[in-house]
Amino acid sequence: MRVLIVEDDLQLGDGLLHGLRAAGFAADWVRDGTAADRSLLAESFSVVVLDLGLPGIDGRDLLQRLRARGDRTPVLVLTSRDAVEDRIAGLDGGADDYLVKPVAIAELAARLRALARRAAGEAAPILTIGALQIDPAAHSVCWHGTAVELGTREFAVLEELARNAGRVLSREQLESRLYEWDRALESNAIEVHVHHLRRKLAPELIRTIRGVGYLMPRAPGEV
Ligand code: CA
């Protein structure tokens, strides 16, 4: 799951970035509304953590722009303890949730997972696709009822394919959703992860669509 953090406070932004990465999210951090706007136009994020008081385009204006152009990426607004009006304005302006600073990373992580789940239209926290079960909160995977150990990146690739089961994802789509842009990417990284996933789980779980990308069938492992 890829998160965009928009926060101009250096200490808080840094804390959120490292906290969310440690919790297993692919997180990017920008410090003003203009950079956030640019990032959201260029890249695809699962969810946005938005501070309202920002230099440049302020948080409320950014949210308004986002919704005006039909961008439905879930947004969680960060507000100060006393700023009740901010909270109301944020929610009325199209935010999906809010948290009052100071933020506990564990609570933020849980709420972000819930937002992403809701956005994907899933009620159950466990993702079930055929014989595959994925628990995004526990970062655990079961194949035909047996737990399988996966690396963080492998898990992220599998989760993304599972959330899009039945649809082809290009290598670029997988890369853009899973990796921070400040991290150097091996050109064959996705191929390597897919190779490991097939070996650890099952070859038929992920199909290569030559020249297009990868696809997880809607019901892998079921006859
Ligand atoms: Ca601020």
Side-chain angles (χ1 to χ4, degrees):
M1 236 175 87
R2 192 167 177 208
V3 183
L4 181 68
I5 301 160
V6 191
E7 173 57 71
D8 61 320
D9 182 299
L10 294 183
Q11 204 182 340
L12 179 57
D14 192 60
L16 290 173
L17 181 71
H18 290 99
L20 287 178
R21 281 184 179 173
F25 292 87
D28 292 305
W29 172 28
V30 292
R31 294 162 189 76
D32 63 73
T34 313
D37 196 36
R38 231 182 292 131
S39 302
L40 285 160
L41 280 170
E43 314 262 342
S44 156
F45 292 90
S46 319
V47 60
V48 179
V49 176
L50 178 67
D51 177 37
L52 288 182
L54 293 167
I57 307 170
D58 119 308
R60 270 184 223 87
D61 295 341
L62 179 69
L63 193 54
Q64 204 172 22
R65 276 191 198 203
L66 215 60
R67 297 309 184 223
R69 65 174 179 245
D71 188 325
R72 299 167 59 87
T73 309
V75 174
L76 182 145
V77 163
L78 297 178
T79 67
S80 317
R81 187 161 297 282
D82 50 352
V84 182
E85 280 161 29
D86 272 4
R87 253 170 269 165
I88 295 166
L91 291 172
D92 281 348
D96 301 273
D97 198 0
Y98 72 86
L99 261 185
V100 176
K101 299 179 194 178
V103 173
I105 289 292
E107 182 181 9
L108 177 62
R111 290 206 190 200
L112 294 181
R113 283 192 292 267
L115 283 180
R117 214 155 57 219
R118 225 188 291 157
E122 297 149 20
I126 306 275
L127 207 57
T128 303
I129 300 99
L132 180 72
Q133 285 195 316
I134 300 177
D135 184 341
H139 263 245
S140 65
V141 173
C142 279
W143 175 244
H144 285 287
T146 305
V148 181
E149 285 290 318
L150 296 181
T152 310
R153 294 293 176 198
E154 290 164 6
F155 184 90
V157 169
L158 185 73
E159 186 185 356
E160 199 61 35
L161 283 163
R163 288 194 188 280
N164 292 281
R167 282 176 47 204
V168 181
L169 293 180
S170 69
R171 197 184 74 190
E172 292 72 25
Q173 273 175 314
L174 282 168
E175 282 174 356
S176 116
R177 291 189 195 186
L178 302 179
Y179 292 86
E180 299 91 328
W181 56 71
D182 56 353
R183 193 172 287 192
L185 246 191
E186 295 287 333
S187 63
N188 66 343
I190 296 293
E191 280 87 343
V192 171
H193 292 317
V194 167
H195 172 75
H196 288 154
L197 287 168
R198 283 175 176 151
R199 191 165 49 75
K200 290 181 176 179
L201 295 154
E204 71 270 22
L205 189 63
I206 302 168
R207 291 188 195 146
T208 300
I209 310 297
R210 211 164 282 286
V212 188
Y214 297 99
L215 171 141
M216 180 181 290
R218 280 186 198 280
E222 287 188 350
V223 185

